[in-house]
Amino acid sequence: MTQQGSADIGVTGLAVMGRNLARNLARHGYVVALHNRSPERTHSLVKEHGDEGTFVPADSMAEFVASLSRPRAIIIMVKAGEATDAVINDLVPLLDQGDIVIDCGNAHFMDTRRREADLRERGLHFVGCGVSGGEEGALLGPSIMPGGSAESYARIGPMFESIAAKVDGTPCCTHVGPDGAGHFVKMVHNGIEYADMQLIAEAYDLLRAGLGASPAEITDIFRTWNEGDLDSFLIQITAQVLAHTDPETGKPFVDVVLDQAEQKGTGRWTVQNALDLGIPITGIAEATFARALSSHADQREAARAAFGSAVSPQISDRDAFVEDVRRALYASKVVAYAQGFDHIGAGSEEYDWGIDRGMMATIWRGGCIIRARFLNRIREAYDENAELPSLLVAPYFVAAVRDGVDSWRRVVAQAATAGIPSPAFSSSLAYYDGLRRDRLPAALIQALRDNFGAHTYHRVDKPGTFHTEWAGDQQEHPA
């Protein structure tokens, strides 16, 4: 019988993710206290997986807390929002100074900042911790992104590093930064994931609608792509999904899935925060809007009735088009990641977190959904220049984009001509072109703002702020 106060760490909330994290910890030799609102779930975990390690089940929150060694470390794995606050409110009266509460759900980072400040005033540590990798990652090795105090990481870091995915012997876990930094980085990770999936879906659509290729043929294309620069978890599972046949109908599985993509909110949060920070994450935004558009079935039906749904591709060289799509996909992915890392940098500066962007690339190389070969290149870029203004100007990515830009332009033009929507491909190309232009039409926008609202402007030829009397003598005056 395990003694009271002997558990190394506790997990409350034993749905699939919490259950698998608890099992992962137990498999690595930690004594794991278990609690769930429904005790049946606690006891079923012990019954089914008790041979994987040492579990200490508890039917009540008080019994659960009492089973933990001090300073206590408690993982909360429940639905974000009110449910998380409810569990915290139940826990806090039972805790002692120095105890650590760890939220491993997908909480909004501002909620995490609020909770961290509140518990800090009570002498407790609160850690907002991003966990990526889904159910399998939680069990076999996720990417883990803990925020919170350095003191709390000294206690939980060794445990989390031991259960995280490993790449070249390096754990996919690091202390991201104080208060909400961990959940912020997980939010941006999910935003990049949105863009990555949208780009893959557009590539599939271009091959299917543009070439008339079957899912089986596109499976082979994606498998080939996964052997080169595009090597990634998402490309790998795209081939798996496209190769799957629906057992009920015998049709390609992708053809029986309703074409309405859902979302849990992290992509939307990413876009909203980027707008607040003034960071143009256009690829992530278009991916989020594309999901929203897909869900408006009534509008789509009305538009089909009004305009028809035919596409008119004019592609003469099949192999050349496939290669163009591959190059355009890679270039667009580079833009999506560049924008995401810009967002992390802006958030770190705004909230004074000191996030190491190279380390984020390091811990995303394994375990997480966006793990990909080229994350090694991102890490190398930030190792060479931690203050890199944009990933796009790192030497490796300069060469990669230059190599793909002609293909990128052809694909976007052919998609537009054929009537195949490619919002993420197109916006990524527009971002690249906007970033490299010597002069942007923003000059006209600022002049218009001054005309109708006296918002002033700066000049290229002398310092200062100016306003033109547009309704009067149209003379310029210092503002």
Side-chain angles (χ1 to χ4, degrees):
M1 188 72 175
T2 304
Q3 297 296 311
Q4 190 176 48
S6 64
D8 299 303
I9 191 166
V11 180
T12 180
L14 299 176
V16 176
M17 286 292 289
R19 185 184 184 94
N20 283 0
L21 273 178
R23 291 172 60 196
N24 192 351
L25 285 158
R27 288 177 173 188
H28 282 80
Y30 299 105
V31 179
V32 184
L34 302 174
H35 173 265
N36 194 75
R37 185 177 59 180
S38 303
E40 295 81 9
R41 186 168 280 175
T42 305
H43 296 293
S44 73
L45 191 159
V46 176
K47 181 179 179 180
E48 295 169 20
H49 304 289
D51 60 345
E52 295 182 345
T54 305
F55 297 106
V56 183
D59 289 349
S60 71
M61 188 68 83
E63 183 185 357
F64 171 66
V65 171
S67 71
L68 289 154
S69 62
R70 296 172 60 183
R72 302 177 182 95
I74 299 170
I75 293 173
I76 298 173
M77 206 59 170
V78 300
K79 187 176 180 180
E82 294 180 0
T84 300
D85 284 323
V87 173
I88 292 171
N89 291 336
D90 288 344
L91 269 176
V92 165
L94 303 172
L95 301 180
D96 297 303
Q97 282 206 351
D99 287 349
I100 305 165
V101 178
I102 310 154
D103 177 12
C104 286
N106 268 336
H108 192 287
F109 78 95
M110 292 301 288
D111 286 338
T112 301
R113 299 192 79 202
R114 167 179 58 80
R115 291 164 182 151
E116 193 277 336
D118 181 48
L119 267 64
R120 185 169 6 103
E121 288 185 2
R122 306 181 191 208
L124 302 171
H125 298 280
F126 186 79
V127 174
C129 181
V131 178
S132 179
E135 300 172 12
E136 183 176 324
L139 180 62
L140 303 179
S143 175
I144 308 178
M145 299 155 254
S149 65
E151 184 180 350
S152 65
Y153 193 78
R155 166 81 168 88
I156 66 174
M159 287 189 281
F160 282 2
E161 289 178 16
S162 71
I163 69 167
K166 309 291 190 302
V167 176
D168 300 328
T170 301
C172 294
C173 174
T174 191
H175 181 223
V176 176
D179 61 71
H183 274 149
F184 179 88
V185 163
K186 177 56 163 56
M187 176 190 75
V188 177
H189 164 285
N190 285 21
I192 295 171
E193 181 184 306
Y194 273 51
D196 210 341
M197 286 194 287
Q198 177 65 26
L199 289 166
I200 289 170
E202 290 179 17
Y204 155 77
D205 196 28
L206 286 161
L207 298 173
R208 185 92 189 261
L211 292 179
S214 68
E217 291 172 316
I218 302 173
T219 295
D220 292 337
I221 291 170
F222 271 87
R223 283 175 176 161
T224 300
W225 287 355
N226 201 49
E227 296 171 358
D229 289 336
L230 285 169
D231 176 15
S232 68
F233 173 69
L234 284 172
I235 295 288
Q236 175 190 336
I237 65 170
T238 298
Q240 181 183 10
V241 169
L242 291 175
H244 186 55
T245 299
D246 176 50
E248 185 175 335
T249 64
K251 296 179 179 179
F253 177 71
V254 71
D255 288 346
V256 302
V257 177
L258 186 66
D259 60 338
Q260 296 178 23
E262 299 177 358
Q263 53 184 306
K264 291 186 176 179
T266 47
R268 183 169 63 249
W269 294 345
T270 308
V271 175
Q272 289 169 338
N273 180 256
L275 287 170
D276 291 339
L277 296 176
I279 301 299
I281 54 168
T282 54
I284 297 171
E286 288 295 348
T288 306
F289 291 137
R291 291 197 191 189
L293 186 149
S294 77
S295 68
H296 285 278
D298 54 343
Q299 291 183 332
R300 292 174 58 197
E301 183 178 358
R304 283 195 301 274
F307 305 113
S309 60
V311 297
S312 53
Q314 300 176 17
I315 299 163
S316 56
D317 189 330
R318 180 188 180 91
D319 291 343
F321 184 71
V322 171
E323 177 61 11
D324 278 349
V325 172
R326 184 192 70 80
R327 291 170 183 259
L329 175 58
Y330 190 62
S332 298
K333 281 167 66 77
V334 170
V335 167
Y337 280 73
Q339 292 177 347
F341 277 86
D342 286 349
H343 192 179
I344 290 172
S348 179
E349 183 175 350
E350 175 71 16
Y351 305 111
D352 196 25
W353 285 330
I355 297 174
D356 182 338
R357 289 180 288 181
M359 278 304 300
M360 297 308 98
T362 299
I363 67 171
W364 288 350
R365 294 181 303 157
C368 73
I369 303 302
I370 64 171
R371 59 186 184 268
R373 179 190 293 187
F374 89 142
L375 281 161
N376 282 311
R377 300 293 190 176
I378 296 176
R379 181 191 62 176
E380 292 166 2
Y382 283 116
D383 284 348
E384 291 176 10
N385 181 4
E387 303 304 318
L388 196 65
S390 169
L391 275 175
L392 286 174
V393 301
Y396 171 82
F397 294 110
V398 168
V401 171
R402 281 178 175 164
D403 182 57
V405 69
D406 291 340
S407 294
W408 204 1
R409 296 194 191 286
R410 282 193 294 268
V411 167
V412 169
Q414 287 169 310
T417 301
I420 301 171
S422 59
F425 273 61
S426 302
S427 66
S428 299
L429 179 59
Y431 174 85
Y432 160 78
D433 280 332
L435 204 61
R436 70 181 186 83
R437 279 290 296 277
D438 178 48
R439 288 278 292 171
L440 290 170
L444 177 58
I445 294 171
Q446 193 60 25
L448 292 171
R449 294 181 74 243
D450 186 61
N451 185 298
F452 67 70
H455 291 294
T456 73
Y457 53 89
H458 297 284
R459 295 177 60 96
V460 299
D461 54 358
K462 56 185 175 182
T465 304
F466 303 91
H467 167 62
T468 293
E469 296 293 343
W470 298 100
D473 59 8
Q474 298 196 11
Q475 295 297 305
E476 180 181 89
H477 305 284

